[in-house]
Amino acid sequence: MIKLKGIKKFYKTKTGLVNALNGIDLEVNKGDIFGVIGYSGAGKSTLIRLINMLEKPSEGRINVDGSEMSTLSKKALRDARKQIGMIFQHFNLLWSRNVKDNIAFPLEIAGVPKRERERKVKELIHLVGLEGRESAYPSQLSGGQKQRVGIARALANDPKVLLCDEATSALDPKTTEAILDLLVDINQKLGLTIILITHEMHVIKKICHQVAVIDNGIIVEEGEVLDVFRSP
Ligand code: ADP
Ligand code: ADP
């Protein structure tokens, strides 16, 4: 589903070049829950910006669902980006819109007609378990409910991949469990590929099939979660 080959990313700064990523090879298979774990500064955010095609690599190739990123036109790149939904640590909801209208937002942008939008929003609200909270505003929701809205919004345009950026790091342990259960449920129901980026090992252990450990811009370990984290 996603292939990175020989990825390097340099940033020019006043004090010289920063090597954020230093030769990353990564292959995420369709339908997997793939974890990327690393300390702060390891290169996780840079990796996210490359996978969701907000930035281009300095070197190397990125292929998403068969399309080679470097060969895509501007329009094709916009379409390809719709294949990737994203959720965030701090949810990034629109505070002046209620639950329903937050979830409808990407559909509005995509020009989906009102009746179809309403049908889709209803389906998503059911999927993430927010029935009865349709008219609530983000300030009236718990952290877990806010992330459920974030997940529903990310799925609105039927992406093939869900990219989770520290999606449970602002949540308490019990809420974290519930959100991770929801991600597993979505992975199974929709066959959606999930990439989960985190600094928390227990999150990876709970739901990921595969894991890559990133440090200083390179992958230092990769494989089945059970093998990589096996106790000696
Ligand atoms: P993480 O998300 O794992 O904390 P980042 O991808 O944010 O790691 O950062 C990796 C390295 O690249 C760090 O040394 C960081 O300072 C550097 N870096 C990230 N983004 C930029 C940028 N826009 N300009 C300069 N350096 C950057
Ligand atoms: P946390 O998960 O740390 O408790 P919040 O959910 O309170 O964070 O906020 C998420 C993000 O939304 C933060 O970046 C915050 O700055 C922003 N934010 C919070 N309240 C508002 C508001 N009333 N209007 C716009 N943005 C807000």
Side-chain angles (χ1 to χ4, degrees):
M1 175 59 67
I2 294 188
K3 271 190 208 163
L4 308 187
K5 188 87 193 125
I7 294 296
K8 296 191 180 179
K9 181 70 185 177
F10 315 119
Y11 291 108
K12 281 202 189 83
T13 66
K14 279 180 203 139
T15 53
L17 279 186
V18 175
N19 290 9
L21 296 176
N22 227 332
I24 299 264
D25 294 320
L26 202 68
E27 198 167 332
V28 179
N29 294 321
K30 190 171 160 46
D32 262 2
I33 305 185
F34 194 103
V36 177
I37 186 162
Y39 295 116
S40 175
K44 302 187 297 296
S45 311
T46 305
L47 195 61
I48 288 173
R49 292 197 296 271
L50 294 175
I51 292 173
N52 70 14
M53 296 176 266
L54 283 172
E55 284 184 9
K56 291 194 167 142
S58 312
E59 283 180 30
R61 299 208 315 262
I62 299 181
N63 188 299
V64 177
D65 198 24
S67 313
E68 193 70 32
M69 192 178 149
S70 59
T71 65
L72 298 178
S73 65
K74 274 218 168 99
K75 157 121 184 33
L77 198 61
R78 264 202 308 277
D79 288 341
R81 292 200 59 211
K82 289 196 193 119
Q83 301 304 327
I84 299 182
M86 176 129 182
I87 60 172
F88 309 88
Q89 177 172 7
H90 295 294
F91 323 118
N92 295 13
L93 303 181
L94 296 166
W95 288 72
S96 60
R97 284 177 167 239
N98 65 21
V99 166
K100 221 166 22 141
D101 295 342
N102 262 286
I103 299 171
F105 189 62
L107 296 166
E108 286 172 33
I109 291 183
V112 175
K114 184 153 187 260
R115 190 172 294 221
E116 170 64 13
R117 275 201 317 263
E118 284 172 353
R119 189 195 61 75
K120 186 75 193 177
V121 168
K122 205 169 165 198
E123 183 187 305
L124 289 163
I125 285 194
H126 176 68
L127 180 71
V128 301
L130 278 174
E131 284 107 337
R133 302 299 277 149
E134 289 86 346
S135 302
Y137 285 82
S139 59
Q140 300 169 308
L141 301 176
S142 68
Q145 289 172 333
K146 279 188 257 195
Q147 195 57 291
R148 285 172 195 271
V149 179
I151 291 169
R153 180 185 55 184
L155 298 179
N157 282 318
D158 297 317
K160 296 199 172 118
V161 177
L162 181 65
L163 192 53
C164 310
D165 181 8
E166 299 284 0
T168 57
S169 300
L171 304 174
D172 63 61
K174 202 162 150 237
T175 310
T176 293
E177 295 277 306
I179 292 295
L180 293 177
D181 287 342
L182 175 60
L183 290 177
V184 171
D185 188 42
I186 287 168
N187 168 256
Q188 286 170 354
K189 270 193 194 140
L190 309 181
L192 192 77
T193 305
I194 297 181
I195 302 179
L196 207 139
I197 298 195
T198 181
H199 66 282
E200 296 177 304
M201 176 115 85
H202 70 93
V203 166
I204 303 268
K205 278 187 169 166
K206 180 165 160 91
I207 69 164
C208 292
H209 309 130
Q210 306 278 325
V211 62
V213 183
I214 181 171
D215 191 23
N216 261 315
I218 60 167
I219 289 174
V220 292
E221 251 187 290
E222 195 193 346
E224 303 272 335
V225 170
L226 289 176
D227 294 334
V228 170
F229 292 140
R230 181 179 306 194
S231 317

